[in-house]
Amino acid sequence: MAWQAATKRAGVFLLVALLLDFGGIPDRARAAEAFDTDTIEASVVRVIAPLSTPDQFSLGTGWIVSGRRIVITNNHVVDGGVSFHLAMMENGKPKVIEAKLLRRSPEKDLAVLQAVSDLPGKALPLADYDAKATTRVIAIGFPGTADLALFNDASTGETKAVRFGLQDDDFYRPTWTEGVASRNLSYFRSIDGPALQHSAPINQGNSGGPLIDSCGRVLGVNTIRAVEGDPQGVFYAIHPKEVTHFLAAAHFSPTLASGVCTITGPSSSALVLPMVAASLLIAAASLWLAYRRQVPAVVKPLTAVARQVSRVAAGGAFGHADRAVVAVRANRAAPAPDRGGKIVTLTPKAAGPEFIIDRAKLDNGQTLVIGRSSGSDVVLPHESVSRRHACIWLDKAGTLWIEDLGSSAGTFLDKERITGKVVVPPDAHVRFGAVGYTLHLEESA
């Protein structure tokens, strides 16, 4: 019975120790972050820039740097784009907002976009200091590899790929990767200025996204990997000082945060130890029951438990813009931000993104094409939508018109299939094939 008494004492000791340890966990958890994840995500957008080549477009990341409409990204994301759109989630629903290119610098690899309506997030603060080596950093963005999923086709046995698109909610949700700051570079040739080397993994599509610390401050604009295909944990972000200078030249003043972030992010032990403790608690309870019931107990060595816990913890709308707008150069004075522009809103009746377009295009006599092709002004990636399905425009009197462009599944206005040109009443329900939208035209002043 001596072993039973020893087991009883050990079980009581383990229970007391674990209860004391769990008492400190909430404090560590609260100290892990000084920002709300949802708040940060609301300020990060996916940048979509259709190219002149049919069905080709550039994808990247951007984030709000001033006000509710000014977004910064990399120049190589917008380079060659014929129009620009910002995609994000708002209140759990996908949304695509048209944007204008205000300024870009090929040398600094930076560009500023202005959304035609307010974005759901707010401006992220720029760090007004150098990140120290080993500082925890987090990259947020939309890597293209995250849109691609492989699966086995049961009928053929082949491995196939499926890619998220505009019709998928996950297309609008950013991903997070973690690393540490490695070193500050006073001059980095590819961006002609200072940079921050770090180890938070980034891939194509992350370009232009923010690199933040545990306080939610932006330490740089992610832009490049060291080695194509196998970067070995070496990535680079444009230094916030360079971003501040670029924005000053564009007549924008970002929010600056001074003072180094003193919050320490959660280490691997912060994740593993609570899980080890939980396993020990279960083991202690098993020993206690074995003692009470006078039955043998089988207990794995602690190393095996820790190994298992470690494995668990480790797992732990696009069309052609005015060419004059696209041809903005870095040495050209930035236009004054347009705060009062009118918009055209296409709100989905069921699934699908909401589209917000600059009404100025219609007011200037431009015809907007709606279709499945990426060359359309509004892209509806549904099999029932033709590549060039329908178009809308305003006449000189300000009346909105719609015309079906010979689509196979038809265009319907308030349940009636249209032929030829038809006037669109205010807030009418329009269906393109099987995809329904309510079209709202904001009145001009």
Side-chain angles (χ1 to χ4, degrees), residues 125-129 217-218 255-260:
L126 269 172
D128 190 22
Y129 52 85
R217 302 166 181 174
V218 178
T255 301
L256 299 178
S258 59
V260 177

Side-chain angles (χ1 to χ4, degrees), residues 18 21-22 24-26 28-29 267-281 309 313:
L18 290 170
D21 183 63
F22 280 132
I25 287 175
R28 291 201 299 270
S267 64
S268 58
S269 61
L271 294 174
V272 174
L273 288 179
M275 300 181 72
V276 172
S279 300
L280 290 174
L281 181 60
V309 172

Side-chain angles (χ1 to χ4, degrees), residues 79-429:
D79 189 31
V82 293
S83 66
F84 310 98
H85 302 263
L86 309 176
M88 77 294 298
M89 295 291 285
E90 183 175 20
N91 298 323
K93 297 181 179 179
K95 196 170 191 175
V96 179
I97 300 178
E98 188 178 10
K100 302 175 182 178
L101 179 61
L102 297 185
R103 189 181 185 89
R104 67 190 186 98
S105 171
E107 295 79 15
K108 304 297 182 181
D109 197 20
L110 290 171
V112 175
L113 298 167
Q114 179 185 6
V116 299
S117 67
D118 287 350
L119 298 169
K122 60 182 181 181
L124 298 179
L126 269 172
D128 190 22
Y129 52 85
D130 290 339
K132 294 183 178 180
T134 73
T135 296
R136 177 182 180 242
V137 296
I138 306 168
I140 311 167
F142 297 88
T145 51
D147 293 334
L148 190 64
L150 300 178
F151 69 98
N152 290 322
D153 190 327
S155 60
T156 64
E158 297 177 340
T159 300
K160 297 184 177 180
V162 59
R163 183 179 292 277
F164 295 133
L166 280 170
Q167 71 278 10
D168 302 302
D169 287 356
D170 290 330
F171 181 81
Y172 303 84
R173 295 190 177 103
T175 64
W176 300 58
T177 55
E178 183 181 3
V180 297
S182 302
R183 59 174 174 169
N184 287 282
L185 302 174
S186 58
Y187 182 80
F188 194 56
R189 184 178 299 276
S190 66
I191 58 173
D192 190 30
L196 172 63
Q197 179 187 328
H198 64 89
S199 64
I202 58 175
N203 292 281
Q204 291 180 350
N206 275 109
S207 294
L211 183 74
I212 67 172
D213 60 17
S214 293
C215 292
R217 302 166 181 174
V218 178
L219 299 174
V221 178
N222 285 314
T223 184
I224 197 171
R225 301 187 302 180
V227 181
E228 183 65 30
D230 186 17
Q232 299 285 330
V234 180
F235 309 94
Y236 297 95
I238 301 173
H239 198 281
K241 292 180 181 178
E242 191 68 31
V243 177
T244 302
H245 294 157
F246 173 75
L247 291 172
H251 310 296
F252 292 109
S253 300
T255 301
L256 299 178
S258 59
V260 177
C261 178
T262 58
I263 294 177
T264 302
S267 64
S268 58
S269 61
L271 294 174
V272 174
L273 288 179
M275 300 181 72
V276 172
S279 300
L280 290 174
L281 181 60
I282 295 173
S286 300
L287 288 171
W288 177 254
L289 289 174
Y291 164 75
R292 296 290 295 175
R293 295 179 181 179
Q294 302 285 314
V295 296
V298 179
V299 183
K300 291 183 178 182
L302 182 59
T303 52
V305 176
R307 195 177 301 116
Q308 177 65 27
V309 172
S310 297
R311 286 201 294 270
V312 175
F318 323 132
H320 300 281
D322 184 352
R323 281 290 187 179
V325 177
V326 178
V328 176
R329 291 294 181 267
N331 59 357
R332 178 178 172 182
D338 180 8
R339 305 292 182 185
K342 302 299 180 180
I343 58 176
V344 180
T345 305
L346 282 81
T347 305
K349 297 296 289 184
E354 178 181 51
F355 293 94
I356 297 179
I357 305 170
D358 186 6
R359 177 185 162 135
K361 290 184 175 182
L362 294 174
D363 290 332
N364 294 333
Q366 184 174 342
T367 297
L368 301 185
V369 176
I370 301 170
R372 195 175 71 248
S373 168
S374 65
S376 302
D377 295 282
V378 177
V379 177
L380 303 179
H382 191 274
E383 59 185 7
S384 67
V385 178
S386 299
R387 292 179 58 82
R388 289 173 55 87
H389 196 101
C391 64
I392 59 175
W393 72 95
L394 287 176
D395 62 18
K396 294 182 179 180
T399 302
L400 181 65
W401 291 77
I402 188 170
E403 180 180 9
D404 184 83
L405 299 178
S407 65
S408 56
T411 302
F412 299 80
L413 179 61
D414 293 330
K415 299 182 179 181
E416 294 292 332
R417 185 164 184 166
I418 67 173
T419 56
K421 306 172 184 178
V422 179
V423 173
V424 181
D427 296 327
H429 174 62

